[in-house]
């Protein structure tokens, strides 16, 4: 399989993409890497910083990661999705450090011959990264306060902070 | 053993530190940390623990030179 070409970050054929980036995510560059004549469908998801949270105005987020674990986990999730949906290419990259409102914090690109698989795989990858990768956001508000943020609310349903309800499992 | 903590846990502990105490299991470590910082107990109860980048159970036996990460629930994306 093409994606196995890079041993370290086996995300995109013939291109090394680090799963974590301390600098701006270059969506255009990443998308240009994903073009593939075998893929009739390319889906790009960009998770971006909202300018409001819990009723307050957000200035920026600061992302911290357990870098070695998060990197391995993102690669494993992308690889698993690539196999399951027979993707021709796939990649994911998450920011660390300071990300301003309106900027991209995470990008997932999936490519497949037809769109159904690219959409499904993309949703699976972003869901699992959000819930499982050891990455944390600290929200900095314009009023000068900060708050470690927003763990998911899955615990209310599952009774366990580390068991999650995934959107990709929605029947809708 | 070397302990690394992340995110909101850094409000209670240094981001990494050495422990010399005789702690046999991850459960012992968790209890020790909660004793040091009782206010961190609720968060510690939500955390997972990893040794050498692999998640381990509370029953996991600690070795002297282990590097143990205390991992709060994720809030990425």
């Amino acid at each position: 399989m093409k994606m196995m070409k890079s041993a370290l970050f086996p995300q995109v054929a013939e291109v090394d993409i680090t799963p974590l980036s301390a600098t701006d995510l270059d969506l255009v560059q990443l998308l240009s890497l994903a073009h593939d004549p075998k893929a009739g469908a390319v889906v790009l998801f960009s998770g971006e910083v909202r300018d409001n949270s819990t009723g307050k105005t957000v200035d920026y987020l600061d992302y911290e990661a357990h870098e070695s674990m998060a990197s391995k986990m993102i690669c494993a999730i992308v690889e698993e999705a690539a196999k399951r949906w027979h993707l021709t290419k796939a990649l994911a990259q998450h920011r660390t450090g300071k990300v301003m409102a309106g900027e991209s914090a995470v990008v997932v690109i999936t490519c497949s011959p037809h769109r159904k698989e690219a959409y499904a795989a993309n949703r699976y990858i972003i869901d699992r990264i959000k819930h499982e990768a050891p990455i944390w956001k600290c929200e900095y508000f314009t009023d000068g306060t900060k708050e470690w943020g927003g763990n998911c609310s899955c615990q209310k349903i599952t009774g366990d902070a580390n068991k999650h309800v995934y959107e990709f499992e929605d029947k809708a | 053993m070397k302990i690394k903590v992340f995110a909101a846990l850094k409000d209670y502990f240094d981001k990494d530190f050495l422990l010399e105490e005789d702690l046999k299991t991850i459960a012992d470590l968790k209890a020790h940390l909660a004793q040091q910082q009782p206010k961190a107990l609720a968060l510690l109860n939500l955390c997972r623990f990893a040794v050498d980048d692999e998640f381990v159970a509370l029953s996991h036996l600690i070795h002297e030179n282990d590097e143990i990460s205390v991992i709060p629930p994720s809030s990425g994306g």
Side-chain angles (χ1 to χ4, degrees):
Chain A
M1 195 195 274
K2 265 186 171 181
M3 266 174 292
M4 299 305 165
K5 189 149 188 160
S6 159
L8 186 55
F9 297 118
Q11 298 198 56
V12 176
E14 295 160 39
V15 183
D16 283 342
I17 299 294
T18 58
L20 297 174
S21 170
T23 56
D24 289 356
L25 302 183
D26 187 341
L27 301 189
V28 174
Q29 165 72 3
L30 292 170
L31 185 58
S32 75
L33 296 175
H35 288 305
D36 180 355
K38 290 188 177 57
V42 176
V43 172
L44 181 151
F45 171 81
S46 171
E48 313 212 337
V49 175
R50 272 192 315 275
D51 68 359
N52 65 91
S53 175
T54 58
K56 293 200 274 191
T57 305
V58 172
D59 190 6
Y60 63 91
L61 303 186
D62 198 43
Y63 283 97
E64 177 181 341
H66 185 306
E67 298 208 359
S68 54
M69 286 183 78
S71 296
K72 283 182 211 167
M73 206 177 279
I74 289 171
C75 287
I77 292 167
V78 169
E79 268 193 81
E80 188 196 322
K83 280 184 194 154
R84 180 167 163 186
W85 281 280
H86 306 290
L87 306 179
T88 60
K89 285 184 182 174
L91 71 92
Q93 196 172 48
H94 201 298
R95 274 297 309 273
T96 57
K98 187 174 177 177
V99 188
M100 306 302 292
E103 291 182 348
S104 181
V106 55
V107 61
V108 178
I109 304 178
T110 47
C111 311
S112 61
H114 303 284
R115 68 184 179 281
K116 183 179 174 188
E117 290 77 16
Y119 273 122
N122 199 293
R123 195 172 188 185
Y124 176 86
I125 292 168
I126 188 59
D127 253 23
R128 287 202 54 207
I129 289 174
K130 276 183 76 91
H131 287 304
E132 295 174 31
I135 299 173
W136 305 274
K137 65 167 74 85
C138 191
E139 297 176 309
Y140 287 81
F141 301 100
T142 52
D143 64 7
T145 59
K146 70 164 195 174
E147 193 172 335
W148 280 102
N151 299 328
C152 55
S153 53
C154 299
Q155 189 183 9
K156 288 179 191 152
I157 299 164
T158 64
D160 181 337
N162 294 299
K163 286 205 175 76
H164 302 290
V165 180
Y166 294 97
E167 284 186 18
F168 64 77
E169 291 170 336
D170 285 354
K171 297 286 183 282
Chain B
M1 73 201 81
K2 186 178 178 189
I3 312 297
K4 290 168 73 177
V5 309
F6 296 88
L9 281 172
K10 292 187 301 180
D11 292 347
Y12 305 101
F13 303 98
D14 291 338
K15 72 181 169 70
D16 46 49
F17 54 94
L18 295 170
L19 278 183
E20 307 288 337
E21 277 75 2
D22 182 25
L23 302 170
K24 290 196 168 46
T25 65
I26 295 290
D28 294 341
L29 169 63
K30 183 175 164 181
H32 177 76
L33 294 175
Q35 195 181 15
Q36 298 296 305
Q37 286 288 353
K39 286 180 181 166
L41 177 62
L43 181 54
L44 284 167
N45 278 333
L46 300 176
C47 289
R48 290 182 290 174
F49 293 78
V51 176
D52 297 333
D53 286 2
E54 299 289 337
F55 287 116
V56 295
L58 289 175
S59 58
H60 182 85
L61 294 174
I62 295 172
H63 299 282
E64 197 180 334
N65 295 320
D66 277 351
E67 182 175 293
I68 303 170
S69 297
V70 190
I71 310 279
S74 302
S75 62

